[in-house]
Amino acid sequence: MKFAVQSRNDPQSNELMERAISYLTDFGLEIDEEKPDIVLSIGGDGTLLHAFHRYSHILSDVAFVGIHTGHLGFYADWKPIEIEKLVISIAKSDYKVIDYPLLEVVINYQNSDENYTYLALNESTVKSPEVTLVMDVELNGRPFERFRGDGLCVSTPSGSTAYNKALGGAILHPSIEAIQVTEMASINNRVFRTVGSSLVLPAHHSCVLKPVKAKDFMVTVDHVQLLHKNVKSIQYKVAKEKVRFARFRAFPFWQRVHDSFIDSDLK
Ligand code: NAP
């Protein structure tokens, strides 16, 4: 089996990375940065986002596992003191692979056949370089609303505990194949109207955002932010690709939600 390690690059994560590489190579595993079977991410959830984007072209062949060197993470749920236990399980292939849904983002441009397709593990957001974002929202090809406000966030189920949660969106269990559209400070008064609630769309639905006047938008895909000019539309749907995680033990999602947001010491 071949492995790669992604570190947050702080002293503790780098030290753990050195130990993981030495243990795994002692067990006869081969380090392969290009085409690993398993990627060990050491840092936080942000580090796993970086690892995901580094290997997003080989998602069907690679499984991710995360060790957290800060607080408990959603993707990074192993403690540094468990590293030996973890590498033994990796070496013995003593794990199950579970997969989570991803978000597909397709950006089309005015006067061009060119488009860009991205995959998000957490979410994609759209904001305006001007003060207010104004975009028409279509659901399954039908006009739904004209959005005016700070921006829109479209998240995956596993990303629902990240930016989406801070915006008041619901937490979705990652076994649900869906995406969630959540508003950022919409303008709502007698003249302007949006639905106000988060929308959860199933896998066969799509959400398309179309510019009204301004055509340039700040679009994020996880930790990556780019200014896209002359945008014609931004399409969101559940991706056909999935992300695979190596699971070595039961750690139910709702337990992770509890431990992260309520109380990590409560028994
Ligand atoms: P960052 O500022 O380092 O990360 C923001 C925080 O989000 C970190 O505490 C990170 O955990 C946490 N996080 C990431 N994915 C998560 C998940 N699925 N569930 C719960 N928490 C999660 O930025 P970054 O490392 O470049 O990460 C980009 C992410 O930041 C975006 O995908 C977005 O979700 C998040 N973000 C959140 C807000 C907000 O909450 N208001 C605003 C902007 C962006 P770790 O410390 O373990 O890495």
Side-chain angles (χ1 to χ4, degrees):
M1 190 174 22
K2 293 180 275 184
F3 71 96
V5 186
Q6 174 94 25
S7 161
R8 183 166 52 193
N9 233 351
D10 57 88
Q12 189 194 3
S13 304
N14 286 344
E15 189 263 329
L16 279 169
M17 176 172 73
E18 295 307 326
R19 278 172 59 196
I21 292 172
S22 137
Y23 291 152
L24 287 168
T25 44
D26 284 352
F27 274 115
L29 275 74
E30 189 189 328
I31 190 157
D32 185 341
E33 300 282 337
E34 298 303 315
K35 245 184 154 288
D37 302 300
I38 191 157
V39 173
L40 187 55
S41 162
I42 305 176
D45 285 333
T47 317
L48 207 134
L49 288 179
H50 283 79
F52 167 80
H53 284 276
R54 184 171 173 196
Y55 294 107
S56 61
H57 58 294
I58 52 166
L59 286 180
S60 56
D61 301 324
V62 69
F64 296 89
V65 60
I67 299 181
H68 62 87
T69 48
H71 53 86
L72 171 72
F74 273 84
Y75 303 120
D77 53 14
W78 281 79
K79 295 184 202 136
I81 53 161
E82 298 175 303
I83 189 163
E84 288 173 23
K85 198 168 142 193
L86 180 61
V87 292
I88 291 169
S89 302
I90 293 175
K92 287 184 178 165
S93 296
D94 191 11
Y95 58 84
K96 279 201 316 190
V97 173
I98 55 150
D99 49 39
Y100 284 178
L102 296 169
L103 170 70
E104 183 191 270
V105 187
V106 181
I107 306 184
N108 291 292
Y109 301 90
Q110 312 269 345
N111 309 321
S112 163
D113 293 335
E114 206 183 345
N115 62 52
Y116 279 107
T117 301
Y118 303 94
L119 286 177
L121 176 56
N122 268 354
E123 78 286 287
S124 168
T125 65
V126 183
K127 294 180 188 170
S128 171
E130 294 170 11
V131 177
T132 303
L133 174 79
V134 186
M135 285 193 108
D136 283 333
V137 179
E138 288 182 4
L139 298 181
N140 302 333
R142 289 169 189 262
F144 182 73
E145 66 182 12
R146 177 159 292 178
F147 178 88
R148 288 182 181 80
D150 281 3
L152 285 161
C153 171
V154 186
S155 64
T156 63
S158 61
S160 66
T161 49
Y163 202 170
N164 166 76
K165 182 178 181 297
L167 297 168
I171 297 180
L172 256 64
H173 193 278
S175 62
I176 301 172
E177 288 212 25
I179 54 171
Q180 181 171 185
V181 184
T182 298
E183 299 181 352
M184 296 176 195
S186 55
I187 301 175
N188 264 293
N189 52 37
R190 279 179 301 158
V191 184
F192 303 130
R193 197 79 48 256
T194 66
V195 71
S197 309
S198 290
L199 305 174
V200 177
L201 307 186
H204 59 292
H205 286 196
S206 65
C207 172
V208 175
L209 308 180
K210 290 189 171 162
V212 176
K213 269 197 200 141
K215 308 277 187 266
D216 300 348
F217 300 96
M218 296 302 307
V219 180
T220 66
V221 175
D222 297 332
H223 55 286
V224 181
Q225 172 167 281
L226 289 173
L227 175 67
H228 292 262
K229 289 177 170 279
N230 292 313
V231 170
K232 188 164 141 202
S233 67
I234 305 174
Q235 181 192 290
Y236 292 111
K237 61 179 186 175
V238 175
K240 56 181 186 314
E241 296 87 349
K242 294 206 166 198
V243 60
R244 301 162 76 241
F245 290 101
R247 275 281 173 271
F248 298 85
R249 58 180 176 200
F251 191 3
F253 179 72
W254 297 120
Q255 184 71 44
R256 266 179 281 160
V257 173
H258 170 274
D259 291 357
S260 295
F261 296 116
I262 310 290
D263 181 355
S264 61
D265 295 317
L266 205 69
K267 292 285 172 274

